[in-house]
Structure formats: structure tokens, C-alpha cells
Amino acid sequence: MEESLIGNVLVAQSGGPTAVINASLAGIVAEALNHECIEEIYGALNGVEGILNEKLVDLAAESQQVIRGLKYTPASALGTCRFKLKTQEDYARVLEVFKAHNIRYFFYIGGNDSQDTANKISELAKSQGWQMRVIGVPKTIDNDLPMTDHCPGYGSVVKYLSASIRELALDHEAMGNHDIVSIVEVMGRNAGWIAAGTCVAKRRNQMEDAPHIILLPEVAFNADYFLAQVQECLKKNKFCLVVASEGIIDENGNYVAAGDAQDSFGHAQLGGVGEYLQNLVAKNLPGVKARSCKFGHAQRAAAHCASLVDANEAYLCGQKAVQAAVEGNDGMMVALVRGDTEKYSCETVLVPLGEVANGVKHFPENWIAEDKISISYQFNKYILPLIQGEVCVPFENGMPAYVRLAKEPVQQQLPPYQSA
Amino acid sequence: MEESLIGNVLVAQSGGPTAVINASLAGIVAEALNHECIEEIYGALNGVEGILNEKLVDLAAESQQVIRGLKYTPASALGTCRFKLKTQEDYARVLEVFKAHNIRYFFYIGGNDSQDTANKISELAKSQGWQMRVIGVPKTIDNDLPMTDHCPGYGSVVKYLSASIRELALDHEAMGNHDIVSIVEVMGRNAGWIAAGTCVAKRRNQMEDAPHIILLPEVAFNADYFLAQVQECLKKNKFCLVVASEGIIDENGNYVAAGDAQDSFGHAQLGGVGEYLQNLVAKNLPGVKARSCKFGHAQRAAAHCASLVDANEAYLCGQKAVQAAVEGNDGMMVALVRGDTEKYSCETVLVPLGEVANGVKHFPENWIAEDKISISYQFNKYILPLIQGEVCVPFENGMPAYVRLAKEPVQQQLPPYQSA
């Protein structure tokens, strides 16, 4: 497309880790090696924080074994951050670091915020005449990025949680003659994609299977309605398994569980939705055994039960980002597009970073069933392809053998950064 | 050994399910088919409750496929119970049901309570002149049965939790420059075997790896000491991962987290140790991010990450129980004995039910390190062999394909039971 731009690559990871974010990193490194115009392949430690502080590592120095191991190693191998570039000085510093290391290709693997940052960096470089290409790579278990059919990371969290819920349901079912209400708190503060996804724990055509009640942030929580639905479920089944998004809100738009705040008496408030609902049931339905589970951050790191389709797509997004940059694209994110054939297929396209940045894709209303606590059957067509196949994690001495980067430092060229 | 006793088999499962309790059931059914003296193979639904209510199913009518599937299907396929036989009438009824169905072999798969029940049934039959053989099969994730080196179910819960903790630690490590304290609440109300077992999440010779602090019910919890240890750990590492037994107690012997009680103001008390410690940290260490995870009953059902050694030994215990009974033994439990060679080996022996019943094997004091929050290296030799190998769970359409028994009912011979 454009003339060849010779220089170095910089990759960084940002936001909450996932089971497959390192697969994208592996895709970028493997693809970068294919292109003559790319000289060095650097990684920034802990996202933009590592760029500001010029903490770069040499990814080309990593062993083949380690790069291959990234395809099944969870969490962010380069480290991640929740840091936002704040001032003009911050942005200027980023560009200064890029220039000092002849960075001509920048790949930022992250969610909404990160795509916004990537967009601003791209625009700044352009306005300052620093020729470079910035491509965003999507990642988020939340699946809430606009402009892409789905996000790498989502299929794996759904697969792990649904497998765990299917197992948990067998356990409850075996307990026999007790009324058990079991709450599973799952991630998803703003959108219910994760909670909704766990509906695949049901066997095909067994709508009465767990999960019986799914609570989404998109639906205002009403305690009376909830308790009535729980009781109805207990009448039909011997137990009631509830999946609740951590971010469910009440009719006034307030979070149902407020986090680790304290009330005016200094009593600790309930930390999570799971324990909140467990207590609600215990208090209001005497004789019922209430239980709760919270997989916490383990759910987004559960590579031992990751989706192969998801991992492969994450890798593909990394590869395609490099190809797009080499071909001359800039200021774009790799997005996933689903083929419209009966058999699932998935391709990548480029979408402008500016159109992705800071948007949130909510769980579609027409996939929420009329009762507001279950998911319509149509959603199955969307979700099932994303959880297919199992990532094969090698085990060593009984434990998953994940890799760690050697992180050979790139020599610093600039004085330390003092942020304003 | 003795003359051949011709008649029917009855199997039942009791207590909390595990990832491998069904493997023992599979071992019993498969082995029972090998012996001419065994005519019918029945299962009781929900342990002794199913016997009292004469709810028996025909296990010989199950397909080969389903019996094989039990080797990787978690929870109790026959259903379980927490019910204890209370009165003489209860015991008399059990014997009546045995006679009505010509039960000459009874296998009870369970923990301490269940072995006690099996023992009483054996003694009753003897005193009433009903010729039969009762053999107990051990199961408990808690690993607290006396007279056996370890218990089927334990290796799998440790493998799953440790894999999850290794993943969680990678996630925390990636988060970079924040002080994170992460609590993982694990099962084990009376003994710390499960919590202690998670020390295998550390890489070999990396003592600074997570879990950094392990809290056992065997060690009195002291909040000041705990917070000091957490702070020390945060200085060395960027995060502190704590594994806490649900059953930790304070210096007065009271549970640190009291369950779902309410205080006098009607405020809900914290439901679990995890949220309790999370709040303790948040309140006392400002600036630290406190998190918690609770795998709940999912941890004992996590067959998707079960130990192959554990599953094989569970199956072996089932087989050996049948062989022992056919050879004329009665009133015994199958126990596991570890070979004293360098390479791990494991055999079964028979131990008297009366010596197992109602005992609790605590985590040995000499395996608790001097700091009381870590586990001595010697324990590794005990635990590592038990988590080796991975059970291969078939996946179908992206989800683990667990089996369910068809549960063909055995015709009832007696009037319904009215308990006293």
C-alpha cells in the first residue's frame, strides 16, 4: 500500500489480563519476525507506564519456546496497567521515547481505554511529523468493545465459568432433599455479557438445567421479584443456581453491592454481590441453604480451561495488526467479523480507533428473555462458536507449566521522567 | 478365604461429593461384574436415605458408556446425603431392606460419618444373623480420615486449587505497581490439609512465589500478626496472596468468620473467611487493594482439572472393596498405603471400620513451618505424587460432557417407611 517504513516495533498490554492476551502478544512477535522492514521487537513493561519510564525489554531475545508458551499462558506477560496518560507532557514523553528507540510500529493490546490512548498517540505522532503506525489489538473478557463482533478473552472466561457451573450444578443436584440456593458472582461491571454467556452450562434442550437465574447489569434488580423467582425454581428443581454480574444495579441505578465501603456504624459492608444475595436469601427464605462462589480474578486467568477458538483468534488479531501496520495502516484497531454462513467463520477487518475508544457495547435487549432472568435461545448461536475447542496447557509435575518472559532490558537513552 | 456368598450388591455414596467419588463407584460396578457370586448390582439413591425409603436403582442396567463416564464425572452420581441413622428402628429398617433385596454385599463410599454408619450396619447384621459383608470406601477432599495415607478426592481438589492459584498469581503479578492483597478461601473446616496442599502452586525452589501466607485451622489466627506478615510480604513482592481455610479459629477457639448469622442490629455478618480477611486488610492497610476469591463447592466438583493419580486410586479403592468382600472380609475399610520407595507407589490394605469411624487426622504439626504461615518443604514429598497426571474429560460442543445415570428403579418390596 504505502512505502516501506523501516524501524522498530513496540508492543504493550493494558487493562485487566485475560487467559489469551498473551496469545495476541505471541501473534505480534511471530508475525513481526516475517517482515524485513521491522528491525527490533520491543515490549514495554506495564503498558504506558513502561513507556513513560522507558522500561523496554527485547522481545526478539526471548526463546522460541517462551514465545510459543505465551499461546497458553494467562495474564499479561509484559505486565499491565490501569494508568491513563493525563497531561500533554505525558504524551510528549511517549513520543520522545518512541523517537529515542526509533519506534515506527506501536501495538497496544487492550480494552476501551487503551484504544483511546492508542488513538491519541497516533494523532500526536501525526501532528508532530513522527512517521509511525499505531494499531490497536482488542482484548477484554467483558466483550463490551464496539465495532467488533466479539473480543478475544470473552470466549475463554465463558467456557471456564460455564464448565465450573455445570460441575457445581452436579454437586448441588447430588445433595438431594435440601433446598439449596447457590449464587455465583461473575465479572462484568457495566455489561452482562459474561453472566449471559454462562447459559451454555445448560445441556442442549434442557432449559430447566442450571443456571436457573441470570442477573445482568442491564436489568434493574428487584429483590421481591428475585426471591419469588427463586422460590418458583426451588419448587420445580431441588436447587436454584443464580449467576449474578458483579455490577447489577437497583431501580435507582445504584450498585446492589457497594464494594468494601463501611456504613456509618463502622460495620463492614458486604464486599460482593454473591454474599449480598446469599444473605438476602438466607434472611428471607427460612429453611433454605444459601451458598455463594466468587471466582474473582481467577476467572479471567483460567487458561487451564480456555477456549481454543478464542486463543486462536487472539493470536490472529496480533498477526493481523502487524500485517496491517506493515501495509501502511495507522490509527486502526483489528476487529473480528463473523461470516454469515451456517458454519462459524471469523475474519478480521480494521476499524478506526476513534470509533472504538470509550464506547461500551451492552448485552442486546432482544437476547434477554421476557422473564428478565434468562437468556433467549437465539444467543446460543452467537456464543457457542466462541467456546469451541480446548487450549492444551502442558503440565509439569502435576501443575500447569506457564512461561515467563526473560525480559532482557533495552538500554535506556533518556533521563528519567518526572511527571508533572 | 471363606465360602462363597451368593447374592446382590448395594452401593451408596454419602457426604460431600468430590471430583472422583464416582470413579470409586465405577470401580465397584466394573469389579462386581467379574464375580459369579454377585447376582444383581444395585445403587441406593442419596445414601442411607435411599435405603430407608427403598429407593434402589439397577446399576447393571446402566450402559458401559455411562459406567466408563463415571471415571471423570464429578459429584455423586447416585446422590448423596448428610443424614445419619438415628434410631434402632432406622437400623432395623436398613436390615429389612437388605433382606428384602437379598443384599449380601454393601459398599458405602464416604467420609468419617459414613464409615461409622457402615460399621454399625455390619455389626447389626452380624448380631441378627444376616450373613453379609460390609466394606467402606474412603472419600473426602478434607483428607482427614485416620488409618489411610491419604483419601481419594484430596489430590484433585489440591490440583485444581493450586492450578487456579498459580494462574491468579500471574494475574496479580501482571498488575504491576499496586499493593494487592488477595485472599483465597478454601474448604476444610476442621483440618488444614487443603489449604496446606496449595503450597504446590509455587514453582520448585521459588519459595517467594504465591501462596505467600497459608492459614490453617490448626494454628490460632491472630489479626496483628497476620497484618504484619502481609505488610512484610508486600515489601518483598508486589502482592500478597493468602490462602485461608474456611475453618480458621481465633485464640479462644471461635471461628474467625461466623457464617451467615446477624448481629444485634440486624446487619448481616460476613459470610466467609475470605471476605472477612479482605475487609480486615482494607480497613487496616490504607492504600492496599484487597481482593478475595471463594471457589465454594465448585472446588470439590472441578473434574475438569482433576488428578489422574487420584482418580485411578479412587477407582482402585472401589475394585479392592469388591474383591475384599468376595474374599470374605466384613466391617473393614479399604485404606491406601504408600510404598517406601523413592518412586511413588500405592497399595491398598483393609482397616477395621471401627478404627476409622469418627476420627479426624489433623495436618501434622511438624509440617507447619516455624512462622506458622507456611508449609515445610518436607510436605512436598507427601503431596506431589497425589496431584500427578491429568484426568482427560471429553468435551462436547465446547463443554465437559459428564454422564448421568439412567437410574432404572428396582421394584419396591416393602411398605413405605415411617421413621419414628
Side-chain angles (χ1 to χ4, degrees):
Chain A
M1 226 190 278
E2 284 203 11
E3 89 254 52
S4 154
L5 177 62
I6 296 173
N8 300 332
V9 156
L10 185 66
V11 199
Q13 296 174 311
S14 177
T18 78
V20 301
I21 184 173
N22 289 328
S24 293
L25 177 58
I28 288 169
V29 174
E31 183 64 24
L33 291 167
N34 294 336
H35 299 279
E36 297 276 315
C37 58
I38 292 172
E39 294 178 319
E40 303 293 340
I41 310 171
Y42 296 154
L45 299 182
N46 297 103
V48 288
E49 275 187 68
I51 305 178
L52 290 180
N53 299 310
E54 212 191 344
K55 288 199 169 158
L56 311 186
V57 297
D58 185 356
L59 289 173
E62 299 288 338
S63 73
Q64 295 291 313
Q65 216 168 18
V66 163
I67 298 300
R68 195 183 302 155
L70 291 176
K71 288 169 92 167
Y72 55 77
T73 295
S76 307
L78 285 168
T80 182
C81 70
R82 291 254 179 231
F83 184 85
K84 272 195 112 160
L85 296 175
K86 285 172 209 89
T87 59
Q88 286 222 311
E89 286 74 25
D90 282 349
Y91 279 98
R93 167 71 176 189
V94 166
L95 206 59
E96 200 184 5
V97 172
F98 284 2
K99 287 178 181 174
H101 293 278
N102 195 30
I103 304 300
R104 299 294 182 168
Y105 299 95
F106 176 53
F107 302 105
Y108 209 26
I109 316 172
N112 322 48
D113 281 353
S114 319
Q115 306 305 334
D116 183 46
T117 300
N119 191 38
K120 287 181 177 145
I121 289 174
S122 161
E123 283 171 359
L124 178 73
K126 219 173 293 168
S127 75
Q128 303 281 305
W130 179 253
Q131 218 194 337
M132 74 177 293
R133 294 160 190 172
V134 177
I135 304 287
V137 177
K139 97 56 235 181
T140 169
I141 59 166
D142 292 331
N143 203 40
D144 60 354
L145 284 180
M147 310 286 291
T148 181
D149 179 78
H150 56 280
C151 302
Y154 175 57
S156 291
V157 76
V158 166
K159 186 184 183 92
Y160 166 71
L161 287 173
S162 301
S164 300
I165 286 167
R166 184 174 278 192
E167 291 169 340
L168 190 59
L170 284 173
D171 186 286
H172 293 323
E173 199 182 303
M175 295 310 289
N177 302 316
H178 309 290
D179 278 348
I180 297 175
V181 177
S182 173
I183 320 285
V184 179
E185 175 183 329
V186 302
M187 293 183 90
R189 197 144 272 273
N190 304 309
W193 287 99
I194 296 174
T198 64
C199 71
V200 302
K202 292 177 194 285
R203 286 165 299 164
R204 241 183 285 197
N205 307 320
Q206 300 285 329
M207 289 308 284
E208 74 274 21
D209 276 354
H212 305 104
I213 295 179
I214 295 179
L215 303 176
L216 309 175
E218 284 86 352
V219 176
F221 177 76
N222 177 298
D224 292 331
Y225 180 71
F226 168 71
L227 290 168
Q229 293 294 325
V230 167
Q231 284 176 290
E232 190 150 321
C233 174
L234 286 176
K235 257 185 250 165
K236 276 189 257 175
N237 309 285
K238 282 174 291 189
F239 69 103
C240 176
L241 197 152
V242 179
V243 172
S245 276
E246 58 180 346
I248 54 170
I249 51 170
D250 64 20
E251 275 135 5
N252 303 315
N254 299 317
Y255 285 122
V256 167
D260 32 35
Q262 289 176 22
D263 69 16
S264 50
F265 301 98
H267 294 280
Q269 294 284 23
L270 296 166
V273 163
E275 302 241 349
Y276 169 80
L277 294 174
Q278 179 184 348
N279 278 286
L280 186 73
V281 168
K283 229 190 273 187
N284 290 282
L285 304 180
V288 165
K289 289 189 180 214
R291 299 278 176 268
S292 70
C293 276
K294 178 174 145 188
F295 294 96
H297 287 176
Q299 71 197 271
R300 68 186 187 192
H304 76 269
C305 193
S307 154
L308 185 61
V309 163
D310 188 31
N312 286 344
E313 289 178 353
Y315 187 85
L316 179 73
C317 286
Q319 284 185 305
K320 292 293 181 179
V322 174
Q323 290 171 12
V326 168
E327 286 166 7
N329 295 285
D330 173 38
M332 309 293 267
M333 185 188 82
V334 177
L336 295 168
V337 182
R338 187 185 295 245
D340 51 10
T341 51
E342 193 58 32
K343 189 172 180 304
Y344 175 75
S345 64
C346 186
E347 287 181 6
T348 63
V349 292
L350 297 175
V351 296
L353 282 172
E355 291 181 30
V356 177
N358 298 320
V360 169
K361 187 170 73 174
H362 283 282
F363 188 74
E365 226 180 287
N366 60 326
W367 282 344
I368 304 173
E370 249 176 70
D371 63 9
K372 301 287 185 191
I373 54 160
S374 44
I375 306 301
S376 110
Y377 194 73
Q378 281 76 51
F379 174 62
N380 269 4
K381 249 185 118 157
Y382 174 87
I383 186 67
L384 277 174
L386 311 186
I387 63 162
Q388 298 300 310
E390 289 73 51
V391 169
C392 181
V393 174
F395 276 67
E396 215 178 273
N397 206 16
M399 289 289 293
Y402 297 126
V403 298
R404 271 183 170 77
L405 295 175
K407 296 186 186 169
E408 193 177 296
V410 173
Q411 194 164 4
Q412 300 190 328
Q413 308 289 334
L414 299 170
Y417 180 58
Q418 309 287 350
S419 90
Chain B
M1 225 191 272
E2 285 200 16
E3 91 252 51
S4 156
L5 176 64
I6 295 173
N8 300 334
V9 156
L10 184 67
V11 198
Q13 297 174 311
S14 175
T18 78
V20 301
I21 184 173
N22 289 328
S24 292
L25 177 59
I28 289 169
V29 174
E31 183 63 26
L33 291 168
N34 294 336
H35 298 278
E36 297 276 317
C37 58
I38 293 172
E39 293 179 321
E40 302 293 340
I41 310 170
Y42 296 153
L45 298 182
N46 297 105
V48 288
E49 276 187 65
I51 305 178
L52 290 181
N53 298 310
E54 211 191 344
K55 288 199 170 162
L56 311 186
V57 297
D58 185 356
L59 288 172
E62 299 288 338
S63 74
Q64 295 291 313
Q65 218 168 15
V66 163
I67 298 301
R68 196 184 299 157
L70 291 176
K71 288 169 91 167
Y72 53 77
T73 295
S76 308
L78 285 168
T80 182
C81 69
R82 291 252 179 234
F83 184 85
K84 271 194 114 162
L85 297 176
K86 285 172 209 89
T87 59
Q88 285 220 313
E89 286 75 27
D90 282 349
Y91 279 99
R93 167 72 176 188
V94 167
L95 205 59
E96 198 184 6
V97 171
F98 284 2
K99 287 178 182 173
H101 293 279
N102 194 29
I103 304 300
R104 299 292 181 168
Y105 299 95
F106 176 54
F107 303 105
Y108 208 26
I109 317 173
N112 322 49
D113 281 352
S114 318
Q115 306 306 334
D116 183 45
T117 300
N119 191 38
K120 286 180 179 147
I121 289 175
S122 161
E123 282 170 0
L124 179 73
K126 216 173 297 169
S127 74
Q128 303 281 307
W130 177 252
Q131 217 193 341
M132 74 177 294
R133 295 161 190 171
V134 177
I135 305 286
V137 178
K139 94 62 232 181
T140 167
I141 60 165
D142 291 332
N143 202 40
D144 60 354
L145 283 182
M147 310 287 291
T148 181
D149 179 78
H150 56 279
C151 302
Y154 176 56
S156 290
V157 74
V158 166
K159 186 184 183 92
Y160 166 72
L161 286 173
S162 301
S164 301
I165 286 167
R166 184 174 277 193
E167 291 170 339
L168 189 60
L170 284 174
D171 187 287
H172 293 324
E173 198 181 304
M175 295 308 289
N177 303 313
H178 309 291
D179 280 347
I180 298 175
V181 177
S182 174
I183 320 286
V184 179
E185 176 183 329
V186 303
M187 294 183 89
R189 196 144 272 272
N190 303 311
W193 288 99
I194 297 175
T198 64
C199 71
V200 301
K202 292 177 193 286
R203 287 164 299 165
R204 239 183 287 198
N205 307 320
Q206 300 285 330
M207 288 307 284
E208 73 275 19
D209 276 353
H212 305 103
I213 294 178
I214 295 180
L215 303 176
L216 310 175
E218 285 85 354
V219 176
F221 178 77
N222 177 298
D224 292 331
Y225 179 70
F226 168 71
L227 290 168
Q229 293 294 325
V230 167
Q231 283 176 291
E232 191 152 319
C233 174
L234 287 175
K235 259 185 247 164
K236 279 188 254 174
N237 309 284
K238 282 173 291 187
F239 69 102
C240 177
L241 197 152
V242 179
V243 172
S245 276
E246 60 180 344
I248 54 171
I249 52 171
D250 63 19
E251 276 134 4
N252 303 317
N254 299 317
Y255 285 123
V256 166
D260 32 32
Q262 287 176 26
D263 69 16
S264 48
F265 302 97
H267 294 280
Q269 295 285 23
L270 296 165
V273 162
E275 301 241 348
Y276 169 80
L277 294 174
Q278 179 183 349
N279 278 286
L280 186 73
V281 168
K283 229 190 271 186
N284 289 282
L285 305 179
V288 165
K289 288 188 181 215
R291 299 279 177 267
S292 69
C293 278
K294 179 173 146 188
F295 295 95
H297 287 177
Q299 70 197 273
R300 68 185 187 192
H304 76 269
C305 192
S307 154
L308 186 60
V309 162
D310 188 32
N312 286 343
E313 289 178 353
Y315 188 85
L316 178 73
C317 287
Q319 284 185 305
K320 291 292 181 181
V322 174
Q323 289 171 13
V326 167
E327 286 166 7
N329 295 285
D330 173 38
M332 309 293 268
M333 184 187 82
V334 178
L336 295 169
V337 181
R338 188 186 294 246
D340 50 9
T341 51
E342 192 59 31
K343 190 171 178 304
Y344 175 75
S345 64
C346 187
E347 287 181 5
T348 62
V349 292
L350 297 175
V351 295
L353 282 172
E355 292 181 30
V356 178
N358 297 320
V360 170
K361 187 170 73 174
H362 283 282
F363 188 74
E365 224 179 290
N366 61 325
W367 281 344
I368 304 174
E370 247 176 72
D371 64 8
K372 302 286 185 192
I373 54 161
S374 44
I375 306 302
S376 112
Y377 193 74
Q378 280 76 50
F379 174 62
N380 269 2
K381 248 186 119 159
Y382 174 86
I383 185 69
L384 277 174
L386 312 186
I387 64 163
Q388 298 301 309
E390 290 72 51
V391 169
C392 182
V393 174
F395 276 68
E396 216 179 271
N397 207 15
M399 288 290 294
Y402 297 127
V403 299
R404 271 182 170 77
L405 295 175
K407 296 186 185 168
E408 194 177 294
V410 174
Q411 192 164 2
Q412 301 190 328
Q413 308 289 336
L414 299 170
Y417 180 58
Q418 309 287 352
S419 92

